[in-house]
Amino acid sequence: MKEAGLVRERTTQRTDSPHILAAVRDLTRLELVTEAVRAALEEVARTAGHLLVDLVDEEWGRRYGRPVRLGKNPTRPKTRILAAGDDACRLLERLHRHQPGYRPGPQAEALRQIIVQNYYRDAAGRLRWRTADDGGLPPSSSAIVSPYDITARYVRHGHIIRWKGFAAHVTETCASGSVNVITDVATTSTATNDAQALPGIHTRLARRGLLPAEHLVDGGYTSLVHLERAEREHQVTVSGPLPGNPTRQHRRNEGFDRDDFHIGFDRQQVTCPRGQVSKGGTAPTRPPHPPPPR
């Protein structure tokens, strides 16, 4: 493509990040735990069925004999929560006792992580269901959403866009009078924001000799730190809207928000909406530039 003149360095390129949905069902937390137990049982039955002797009975067969579909309002939710947690712990303890002769597979490991994220033991050693106020819940950047893909994550952009899966970063040329050619594609976890993916994009483009002079992006990529890094390390001008003000005061137009204050960086002073000026502050120190490579 370079020889044909279809792509060249130091032109204009753009990057966007479409969503990638994980190939898994959307599960409630109770469905997640119950399906994780079922998946681990299926795995052990295939690889070391003798470990399930005297553990799996008719009641377990009714609970985990088919894919779990409980819905958002299941009957007897507290009973189901405790039963699933107790069954999971009994299964994991059985597998642990047979180590190192038995090596747990990915479904058993997924079950272990899911139980840790959704249950805890109180001071009396009793198993408890985690809530935001009681035991604490993991952040979405680490919370597992499916036992069949423990790398997928839940993400929300703004107040409308929500999905479980991953993000792709697609970069293409967009110079006028030329065809658009894709120059880089990367898939990242949704726990990684778009701005954090920017240095990796520029590193790969530099390796291929395809760095743009101007890189057009949306507001998700325009972190001031990464804009400065792109200019300093690769002489790439990143162009895009700066992130808006997401505070509740700004959305509802109530009280004062960040944009109502004037910041004088030279004098290290902040002026409030009523004209009062702060007495000064301490400016952050910038790390020195690394020495140029020899």
Side-chain angles (χ1 to χ4, degrees), residues 195-196 198-200 202-203 223-236 238:
Q196 291 174 318
L198 202 59
H202 290 156
T203 298
S223 160
L224 294 178
V225 173
H226 294 93
L227 265 62
E228 186 274 337
R229 179 178 175 181
E231 179 67 36
R232 171 167 48 87
E233 294 185 355
H234 300 290
Q235 294 75 55
V236 173
V238 179

PDB file of all heavy atoms in Angstrom, residues 195-196 198-200 202-203 223-236 238:
ATOM      1  N   ALA A 195      -8.417   7.097  26.334  1.00  0.00           N
ATOM      2  CA  ALA A 195      -7.182   7.877  26.392  1.00  0.00           C
ATOM      3  C   ALA A 195      -5.978   6.999  26.724  1.00  0.00           C
ATOM      4  O   ALA A 195      -4.873   7.221  26.216  1.00  0.00           O
ATOM      5  CB  ALA A 195      -7.316   9.002  27.414  1.00  0.00           C
ATOM      6  N   GLN A 196      -6.179   5.981  27.554  1.00  0.00           N
ATOM      7  CA  GLN A 196      -5.070   5.100  27.910  1.00  0.00           C
ATOM      8  C   GLN A 196      -4.622   4.239  26.739  1.00  0.00           C
ATOM      9  O   GLN A 196      -3.498   3.728  26.739  1.00  0.00           O
ATOM     10  CB  GLN A 196      -5.486   4.206  29.082  1.00  0.00           C
ATOM     11  CG  GLN A 196      -5.671   4.956  30.397  1.00  0.00           C
ATOM     12  CD  GLN A 196      -6.229   4.063  31.490  1.00  0.00           C
ATOM     13  OE1 GLN A 196      -7.131   3.273  31.253  1.00  0.00           O
ATOM     14  NE2 GLN A 196      -5.690   4.196  32.688  1.00  0.00           N
ATOM     15  N   LEU A 198      -4.305   5.392  23.698  1.00  0.00           N
ATOM     16  CA  LEU A 198      -3.655   6.248  22.698  1.00  0.00           C
ATOM     17  C   LEU A 198      -2.150   6.014  22.586  1.00  0.00           C
ATOM     18  O   LEU A 198      -1.622   5.905  21.472  1.00  0.00           O
ATOM     19  CB  LEU A 198      -3.961   7.705  23.012  1.00  0.00           C
ATOM     20  CG  LEU A 198      -3.845   8.708  21.858  1.00  0.00           C
ATOM     21  CD1 LEU A 198      -4.778   8.320  20.724  1.00  0.00           C
ATOM     22  CD2 LEU A 198      -4.166  10.114  22.352  1.00  0.00           C
ATOM     23  N   PRO A 199      -1.384   5.914  23.684  1.00  0.00           N
ATOM     24  CA  PRO A 199       0.064   5.673  23.531  1.00  0.00           C
ATOM     25  C   PRO A 199       0.382   4.382  22.792  1.00  0.00           C
ATOM     26  O   PRO A 199       1.318   4.335  21.984  1.00  0.00           O
ATOM     27  CB  PRO A 199       0.561   5.624  24.983  1.00  0.00           C
ATOM     28  CG  PRO A 199      -0.433   6.415  25.762  1.00  0.00           C
ATOM     29  CD  PRO A 199      -1.744   6.150  25.104  1.00  0.00           C
ATOM     30  N   GLY A 200      -0.390   3.322  23.047  1.00  0.00           N
ATOM     31  CA  GLY A 200      -0.151   2.068  22.344  1.00  0.00           C
ATOM     32  C   GLY A 200      -0.413   2.188  20.858  1.00  0.00           C
ATOM     33  O   GLY A 200       0.312   1.599  20.034  1.00  0.00           O
ATOM     34  N   HIS A 202      -0.045   4.905  19.012  1.00  0.00           N
ATOM     35  CA  HIS A 202       1.053   5.651  18.405  1.00  0.00           C
ATOM     36  C   HIS A 202       2.331   4.821  18.346  1.00  0.00           C
ATOM     37  O   HIS A 202       3.097   4.921  17.382  1.00  0.00           O
ATOM     38  CB  HIS A 202       1.300   6.945  19.195  1.00  0.00           C
ATOM     39  CG  HIS A 202       0.208   7.950  19.029  1.00  0.00           C
ATOM     40  ND1 HIS A 202      -0.053   8.933  19.947  1.00  0.00           N
ATOM     41  CD2 HIS A 202      -0.720   8.103  18.039  1.00  0.00           C
ATOM     42  CE1 HIS A 202      -1.067   9.666  19.533  1.00  0.00           C
ATOM     43  NE2 HIS A 202      -1.489   9.186  18.377  1.00  0.00           N
ATOM     44  N   THR A 203       2.563   3.986  19.352  1.00  0.00           N
ATOM     45  CA  THR A 203       3.753   3.122  19.337  1.00  0.00           C
ATOM     46  C   THR A 203       3.699   2.151  18.165  1.00  0.00           C
ATOM     47  O   THR A 203       4.690   1.941  17.452  1.00  0.00           O
ATOM     48  CB  THR A 203       3.869   2.360  20.657  1.00  0.00           C
ATOM     49  OG1 THR A 203       4.020   3.297  21.737  1.00  0.00           O
ATOM     50  CG2 THR A 203       5.072   1.420  20.631  1.00  0.00           C
ATOM     51  N   SER A 223      -7.319  13.172  26.818  1.00  0.00           N
ATOM     52  CA  SER A 223      -6.718  13.445  28.124  1.00  0.00           C
ATOM     53  C   SER A 223      -5.526  14.377  27.914  1.00  0.00           C
ATOM     54  O   SER A 223      -4.701  14.155  27.015  1.00  0.00           O
ATOM     55  CB  SER A 223      -6.268  12.138  28.767  1.00  0.00           C
ATOM     56  OG  SER A 223      -5.310  12.379  29.776  1.00  0.00           O
ATOM     57  N   LEU A 224      -5.418  15.420  28.730  1.00  0.00           N
ATOM     58  CA  LEU A 224      -4.332  16.385  28.546  1.00  0.00           C
ATOM     59  C   LEU A 224      -2.970  15.727  28.684  1.00  0.00           C
ATOM     60  O   LEU A 224      -2.023  16.074  27.975  1.00  0.00           O
ATOM     61  CB  LEU A 224      -4.480  17.516  29.570  1.00  0.00           C
ATOM     62  CG  LEU A 224      -5.714  18.412  29.415  1.00  0.00           C
ATOM     63  CD1 LEU A 224      -5.743  19.454  30.518  1.00  0.00           C
ATOM     64  CD2 LEU A 224      -5.712  19.083  28.050  1.00  0.00           C
ATOM     65  N   VAL A 225      -2.868  14.750  29.580  1.00  0.00           N
ATOM     66  CA  VAL A 225      -1.590  14.065  29.775  1.00  0.00           C
ATOM     67  C   VAL A 225      -1.183  13.324  28.509  1.00  0.00           C
ATOM     68  O   VAL A 225      -0.029  13.400  28.066  1.00  0.00           O
ATOM     69  CB  VAL A 225      -1.693  13.086  30.969  1.00  0.00           C
ATOM     70  CG1 VAL A 225      -0.423  12.245  31.070  1.00  0.00           C
ATOM     71  CG2 VAL A 225      -1.940  13.837  32.256  1.00  0.00           C
ATOM     72  N   HIS A 226      -2.126  12.622  27.888  1.00  0.00           N
ATOM     73  CA  HIS A 226      -1.797  11.836  26.703  1.00  0.00           C
ATOM     74  C   HIS A 226      -1.632  12.714  25.466  1.00  0.00           C
ATOM     75  O   HIS A 226      -0.873  12.367  24.552  1.00  0.00           O
ATOM     76  CB  HIS A 226      -2.872  10.782  26.468  1.00  0.00           C
ATOM     77  CG  HIS A 226      -2.923   9.733  27.549  1.00  0.00           C
ATOM     78  ND1 HIS A 226      -3.757   9.832  28.638  1.00  0.00           N
ATOM     79  CD2 HIS A 226      -2.211   8.588  27.724  1.00  0.00           C
ATOM     80  CE1 HIS A 226      -3.569   8.780  29.427  1.00  0.00           C
ATOM     81  NE2 HIS A 226      -2.643   8.020  28.904  1.00  0.00           N
ATOM     82  N   LEU A 227      -2.315  13.860  25.414  1.00  0.00           N
ATOM     83  CA  LEU A 227      -2.098  14.798  24.310  1.00  0.00           C
ATOM     84  C   LEU A 227      -0.676  15.348  24.342  1.00  0.00           C
ATOM     85  O   LEU A 227      -0.002  15.433  23.304  1.00  0.00           O
ATOM     86  CB  LEU A 227      -3.114  15.946  24.381  1.00  0.00           C
ATOM     87  CG  LEU A 227      -4.383  15.801  23.550  1.00  0.00           C
ATOM     88  CD1 LEU A 227      -5.204  14.596  24.004  1.00  0.00           C
ATOM     89  CD2 LEU A 227      -5.232  17.065  23.663  1.00  0.00           C
ATOM     90  N   GLU A 228      -0.231  15.703  25.540  1.00  0.00           N
ATOM     91  CA  GLU A 228       1.128  16.226  25.669  1.00  0.00           C
ATOM     92  C   GLU A 228       2.152  15.147  25.360  1.00  0.00           C
ATOM     93  O   GLU A 228       3.171  15.405  24.714  1.00  0.00           O
ATOM     94  CB  GLU A 228       1.307  16.749  27.098  1.00  0.00           C
ATOM     95  CG  GLU A 228       2.631  17.466  27.349  1.00  0.00           C
ATOM     96  CD  GLU A 228       3.772  16.527  27.714  1.00  0.00           C
ATOM     97  OE1 GLU A 228       3.487  15.403  28.208  1.00  0.00           O
ATOM     98  OE2 GLU A 228       4.946  16.898  27.502  1.00  0.00           O
ATOM     99  N   ARG A 229       1.880  13.905  25.768  1.00  0.00           N
ATOM    100  CA  ARG A 229       2.816  12.807  25.513  1.00  0.00           C
ATOM    101  C   ARG A 229       2.917  12.513  24.018  1.00  0.00           C
ATOM    102  O   ARG A 229       4.022  12.250  23.509  1.00  0.00           O
ATOM    103  CB  ARG A 229       2.356  11.568  26.270  1.00  0.00           C
ATOM    104  CG  ARG A 229       3.244  10.357  26.061  1.00  0.00           C
ATOM    105  CD  ARG A 229       2.755   9.173  26.881  1.00  0.00           C
ATOM    106  NE  ARG A 229       3.525   7.973  26.596  1.00  0.00           N
ATOM    107  CZ  ARG A 229       3.302   6.786  27.161  1.00  0.00           C
ATOM    108  NH1 ARG A 229       2.330   6.661  28.050  1.00  0.00           N
ATOM    109  NH2 ARG A 229       4.054   5.743  26.850  1.00  0.00           N
ATOM    110  N   ALA A 230       1.779  12.552  23.316  1.00  0.00           N
ATOM    111  CA  ALA A 230       1.812  12.289  21.875  1.00  0.00           C
ATOM    112  C   ALA A 230       2.649  13.336  21.136  1.00  0.00           C
ATOM    113  O   ALA A 230       3.412  13.009  20.224  1.00  0.00           O
ATOM    114  CB  ALA A 230       0.387  12.269  21.319  1.00  0.00           C
ATOM    115  N   GLU A 231       2.534  14.600  21.556  1.00  0.00           N
ATOM    116  CA  GLU A 231       3.311  15.659  20.921  1.00  0.00           C
ATOM    117  C   GLU A 231       4.786  15.538  21.260  1.00  0.00           C
ATOM    118  O   GLU A 231       5.649  15.717  20.395  1.00  0.00           O
ATOM    119  CB  GLU A 231       2.773  17.020  21.373  1.00  0.00           C
ATOM    120  CG  GLU A 231       3.508  18.214  20.789  1.00  0.00           C
ATOM    121  CD  GLU A 231       3.304  18.335  19.290  1.00  0.00           C
ATOM    122  OE1 GLU A 231       2.197  18.028  18.806  1.00  0.00           O
ATOM    123  OE2 GLU A 231       4.265  18.749  18.595  1.00  0.00           O
ATOM    124  N   ARG A 232       5.071  15.181  22.504  1.00  0.00           N
ATOM    125  CA  ARG A 232       6.466  15.133  22.944  1.00  0.00           C
ATOM    126  C   ARG A 232       7.198  13.923  22.384  1.00  0.00           C
ATOM    127  O   ARG A 232       8.349  14.031  21.948  1.00  0.00           O
ATOM    128  CB  ARG A 232       6.517  15.129  24.474  1.00  0.00           C
ATOM    129  CG  ARG A 232       7.873  14.871  25.077  1.00  0.00           C
ATOM    130  CD  ARG A 232       7.892  15.191  26.566  1.00  0.00           C
ATOM    131  NE  ARG A 232       6.764  14.618  27.260  1.00  0.00           N
ATOM    132  CZ  ARG A 232       6.723  13.381  27.763  1.00  0.00           C
ATOM    133  NH1 ARG A 232       7.787  12.597  27.615  1.00  0.00           N
ATOM    134  NH2 ARG A 232       5.666  12.936  28.408  1.00  0.00           N
ATOM    135  N   GLU A 233       6.573  12.739  22.399  1.00  0.00           N
ATOM    136  CA  GLU A 233       7.267  11.519  22.009  1.00  0.00           C
ATOM    137  C   GLU A 233       7.194  11.236  20.518  1.00  0.00           C
ATOM    138  O   GLU A 233       8.124  10.657  19.953  1.00  0.00           O
ATOM    139  CB  GLU A 233       6.674  10.327  22.780  1.00  0.00           C
ATOM    140  CG  GLU A 233       6.916  10.381  24.278  1.00  0.00           C
ATOM    141  CD  GLU A 233       6.414   9.139  24.980  1.00  0.00           C
ATOM    142  OE1 GLU A 233       5.792   8.275  24.302  1.00  0.00           O
ATOM    143  OE2 GLU A 233       6.638   9.019  26.194  1.00  0.00           O
ATOM    144  N   HIS A 234       6.087  11.617  19.864  1.00  0.00           N
ATOM    145  CA  HIS A 234       5.917  11.241  18.457  1.00  0.00           C
ATOM    146  C   HIS A 234       5.640  12.418  17.533  1.00  0.00           C
ATOM    147  O   HIS A 234       5.439  12.215  16.337  1.00  0.00           O
ATOM    148  CB  HIS A 234       4.763  10.231  18.334  1.00  0.00           C
ATOM    149  CG  HIS A 234       4.972   8.969  19.110  1.00  0.00           C
ATOM    150  ND1 HIS A 234       5.912   8.022  18.748  1.00  0.00           N
ATOM    151  CD2 HIS A 234       4.373   8.498  20.242  1.00  0.00           C
ATOM    152  CE1 HIS A 234       5.871   7.008  19.607  1.00  0.00           C
ATOM    153  NE2 HIS A 234       4.964   7.277  20.530  1.00  0.00           N
ATOM    154  N   GLN A 235       5.607  13.635  18.076  1.00  0.00           N
ATOM    155  CA  GLN A 235       5.308  14.828  17.287  1.00  0.00           C
ATOM    156  C   GLN A 235       3.968  14.671  16.540  1.00  0.00           C
ATOM    157  O   GLN A 235       3.836  15.002  15.361  1.00  0.00           O
ATOM    158  CB  GLN A 235       6.422  15.150  16.287  1.00  0.00           C
ATOM    159  CG  GLN A 235       7.750  15.543  16.941  1.00  0.00           C
ATOM    160  CD  GLN A 235       8.473  14.327  17.534  1.00  0.00           C
ATOM    161  OE1 GLN A 235       8.725  13.340  16.822  1.00  0.00           O
ATOM    162  NE2 GLN A 235       8.823  14.379  18.803  1.00  0.00           N
ATOM    163  N   VAL A 236       2.987  14.142  17.243  1.00  0.00           N
ATOM    164  CA  VAL A 236       1.646  13.967  16.701  1.00  0.00           C
ATOM    165  C   VAL A 236       0.711  14.943  17.402  1.00  0.00           C
ATOM    166  O   VAL A 236       0.665  14.999  18.636  1.00  0.00           O
ATOM    167  CB  VAL A 236       1.139  12.526  16.904  1.00  0.00           C
ATOM    168  CG1 VAL A 236      -0.321  12.404  16.477  1.00  0.00           C
ATOM    169  CG2 VAL A 236       1.997  11.548  16.113  1.00  0.00           C
ATOM    170  N   VAL A 238      -2.810  15.708  18.483  1.00  0.00           N
ATOM    171  CA  VAL A 238      -4.089  15.036  18.706  1.00  0.00           C
ATOM    172  C   VAL A 238      -5.173  16.104  18.791  1.00  0.00           C
ATOM    173  O   VAL A 238      -5.104  17.010  19.632  1.00  0.00           O
ATOM    174  CB  VAL A 238      -4.061  14.192  19.994  1.00  0.00           C
ATOM    175  CG1 VAL A 238      -5.416  13.526  20.226  1.00  0.00           C
ATOM    176  CG2 VAL A 238      -2.956  13.147  19.906  1.00  0.00           C
TER     177      VAL A 238
END
